[in-house]
Structures are given as C-alpha cells and as structure tokens.
Amino acid sequence: MNTTTNPIARPRSVAHVYQGQATSDGAGVRLVRMLGTAQLPDLDPFLLLDAFGSDKPGDYLAGFPDHPHRGFETVTYMLDGRMRHRDNHGHQGLLGPGSVQWMSAGRGIVHSEMPEQVEGLMRGFQLWLNLPARDKMSPPRYQEYAADQIPVYAPSAGVRVKVIAGQLGDAKGVIEQPATDPLYLDIQLDAGAEIASPVPPGHSAFVHVYQGTAQVHGTRVAAGALAVLADGDAVRLQGGDGIARMLLIAGRPLREPVARHGPFVMNTEAELVQAFNDYRAGRF
Ligand code: FE
C-alpha cells in the first residue's frame, strides 16, 4: 500500500489545537503537560501526555522517586538521554535514546524513574493510556524495546517514521495492546515532505508537534502544540520550512466511567479507595 498517494475517503481534519502547560512533577522535573490539563483533561483512552526536554541538569536530576501506579499504562519514549527504572517486583532496566517502555501497571506497582546522567540533554515523552475494567487488576506487564528494535518506515525522500505501535505501510509496531489498539508513530518530515497515515475511524487521535512546524490536514501546528483530530480514516501531514518532528497517537476509546486520582485510574470511587488502602497496606 502506498500511503503517500492513496486517496483518503474521509480525511481527518483538526478539531482543535491546544498549547501545553509548563509544570513540574516527580521530585521536581520540569516538563510540559500536553494532555491532562484543565483545557484538555483527557481524550479517551488517553489520560496524560508529558513532554520533557532540557539540557539543564537542574530541570531533570530530581527524577521520579518511588511512586505507585494502578489501573492504566504508562508509555515512556526517550529521544535523548538515559533513564533507569526499577520496580518493587524486581523489574528494572535502562531506557536509552530512542527506546520505548510500555508498562501496564495493572493491579499495581511501585517504581522509580531516575535519570542515569548528570549532564547533557534529556528529552522524551510519557503517555498515560487507560486500561479497560477487565484488565485493571491484571498482573503488571512490561513491553520494552531498544531503538534498533523499533521498525522504521521511510516510503519516500524526507519521510522517516518510527512505528512504535500500530501499522504504517509495511512496518508493524512492536507493541501489543488489543484493548485500545494503539497507534504510536514518531514522524520526521523534511521541508515540504508529506505522508498520509491511516487512523481507524472512531478512534481518538492527536498530533503533537515537538520540533519545527507541520501542516495537519492544512492546519499549521507549531512545536509545543497538540492538535486533536476530527473523525475520519486517515490524516495527511506535511512538513514546514525546516525539519518537522511530531507524534501521531491514536487509540480505541474505552467508553467506561473514569475515577482518577494521582497515580490511580479506576472505574469507581470505591475502587479508588481500595487502591489507596492496598497501596498503604503494601499490597502493590
Ligand atoms: Fe511512574
């Protein structure tokens, strides 16, 4: 399939463009929250997207010391720098440049995510993706891949796409998550280059431009903005004057009630209370 030239029956336009909010989290890591803000609290099944990127150690050195998660997935995608993660079940690893960690917290983990560097650029993203009620109390599960294990789709000059989850052309992503069937693409477009990516109809979808400027179905979106897409079967993306880099992320909505507080995302208030009690009692 040539995704760059096939006609799109129902192109996805931009429904709304949001700016990120500068904030800090963990023990004082400076980041920009793109999703999970007052303007854009969530986009079922997505709960949060944080973009971090700094070459000032003071912005990231504090890291994210021990904290719990239950009921959803955290997806860490590193562009630059190294992060060490360690959980209370004995799982640990080092996330290097270009790697992805897709962590299903399920019924609960306590982990730390700490920079394994004291200088240089640290840049990447963390996405929170909800789990359906039937999977919220599943055993924790990790899907971790180094940069060289992530398929690259490069159909034409000036187009380079890392396919982390979902499929684009002949490149199939490494992540398996049938509940939300996620698409997670890291797209680089040289000036004037373009690509059309299928996005399943009915799935929530957004584009976060993190470098340069891109046209999303004709709407100009600059670095630091997130464009929520209207429904359709594909989206057309074009580069701007220089190199543009962006994430295209989509997933099937769960359409379930969300009871959410901090690092716990359940379906009911009673389940939230249970999560707090289990955590305090050391049952994670
Ligand atoms: Fe965490």
Side-chain angles (χ1 to χ4, degrees), residues 96-234:
S99 68
V100 64
Q101 181 202 59
W102 201 287
M103 193 266 292
S104 298
R107 64 186 172 222
I109 57 111
V110 180
H111 75 164
S112 60
E113 301 156 283
M114 301 298 291
E116 186 126 319
Q117 64 188 51
V118 293
E119 58 180 16
L121 180 61
M122 167 80 75
R123 186 163 67 139
F125 306 94
Q126 188 168 87
L127 176 74
W128 287 14
L129 178 52
N130 210 354
L131 285 169
R134 65 175 183 275
D135 293 336
K136 283 186 180 293
M137 294 300 279
S138 296
R141 177 189 180 210
Y142 290 87
Q143 301 180 70
E144 279 179 18
Y145 295 93
D148 61 6
Q149 297 173 294
I150 296 173
V152 174
Y153 180 63
S156 54
V159 177
R160 183 179 157 85
V161 183
K162 294 184 183 179
V163 182
I164 295 167
Q167 183 149 3
L168 182 61
D170 55 6
K172 189 174 183 317
V174 285
I175 300 300
E176 287 178 23
Q177 178 42 281
T180 44
D181 193 20
L183 176 70
Y184 193 131
L185 306 178
D186 179 11
I187 300 171
Q188 177 171 323
L189 298 175
D190 289 353
E194 69 171 87
I195 189 171
S197 173
V199 180
H203 286 204
S204 301
F206 63 87
V207 175
H208 168 48
V209 178
Y210 64 90
Q211 186 178 319
T213 298
Q215 300 279 339
V216 181
H217 188 69
T219 298
R220 184 180 182 276
V221 181
L226 183 153
V228 173
L229 304 182
D231 201 8
D233 59 14

Side-chain angles (χ1 to χ4, degrees), residues 2-276:
N2 186 338
T3 55
T4 60
T5 55
N6 275 6
I8 301 173
R10 290 174 58 218
R12 283 176 177 257
S13 58
V14 171
H16 198 89
V17 177
Y18 297 88
Q19 299 302 316
Q21 263 181 10
T23 182
S24 74
D25 207 339
V29 177
R30 292 170 66 98
L31 49 84
V32 178
R33 187 147 293 161
M34 300 305 310
L35 198 163
T37 60
Q39 293 76 27
L40 182 59
D42 55 47
L43 189 72
D44 184 16
F46 304 105
L47 302 159
L48 177 142
L49 177 68
D50 282 344
F52 52 94
S54 177
D55 56 5
K56 299 187 193 77
D59 288 347
Y60 60 74
L61 275 182
F64 301 85
D66 274 351
H67 60 277
H69 293 289
R70 172 182 278 184
F72 65 106
E73 304 186 293
T74 67
V75 179
T76 305
Y77 175 47
M78 298 294 290
L79 294 175
D80 300 285
R82 291 169 199 286
M83 189 97 83
R84 170 78 57 182
H85 67 91
R86 196 176 268 125
D87 78 9
N88 64 326
H89 297 272
H91 186 94
Q92 70 149 321
L94 184 63
L95 297 174
S99 68
V100 64
Q101 181 202 59
W102 201 287
M103 193 266 292
S104 298
R107 64 186 172 222
I109 57 111
V110 180
H111 75 164
S112 60
E113 301 156 283
M114 301 298 291
E116 186 126 319
Q117 64 188 51
V118 293
E119 58 180 16
L121 180 61
M122 167 80 75
R123 186 163 67 139
F125 306 94
Q126 188 168 87
L127 176 74
W128 287 14
L129 178 52
N130 210 354
L131 285 169
R134 65 175 183 275
D135 293 336
K136 283 186 180 293
M137 294 300 279
S138 296
R141 177 189 180 210
Y142 290 87
Q143 301 180 70
E144 279 179 18
Y145 295 93
D148 61 6
Q149 297 173 294
I150 296 173
V152 174
Y153 180 63
S156 54
V159 177
R160 183 179 157 85
V161 183
K162 294 184 183 179
V163 182
I164 295 167
Q167 183 149 3
L168 182 61
D170 55 6
K172 189 174 183 317
V174 285
I175 300 300
E176 287 178 23
Q177 178 42 281
T180 44
D181 193 20
L183 176 70
Y184 193 131
L185 306 178
D186 179 11
I187 300 171
Q188 177 171 323
L189 298 175
D190 289 353
E194 69 171 87
I195 189 171
S197 173
V199 180
H203 286 204
S204 301
F206 63 87
V207 175
H208 168 48
V209 178
Y210 64 90
Q211 186 178 319
T213 298
Q215 300 279 339
V216 181
H217 188 69
T219 298
R220 184 180 182 276
V221 181
L226 183 153
V228 173
L229 304 182
D231 201 8
D233 59 14
V235 61
R236 182 175 292 110
L237 304 168
Q238 286 177 294
D241 298 332
I243 289 175
R245 296 182 71 182
M246 68 212 79
L247 303 180
L248 168 60
I249 294 176
R252 181 189 301 116
L254 293 171
R255 304 192 198 288
E256 292 181 356
V258 175
R260 167 181 189 178
H261 190 87
F264 308 123
V265 184
M266 306 303 291
N267 296 106
T268 68
E269 290 298 320
E271 290 166 350
L272 267 190
V273 170
Q274 186 67 50
F276 273 103

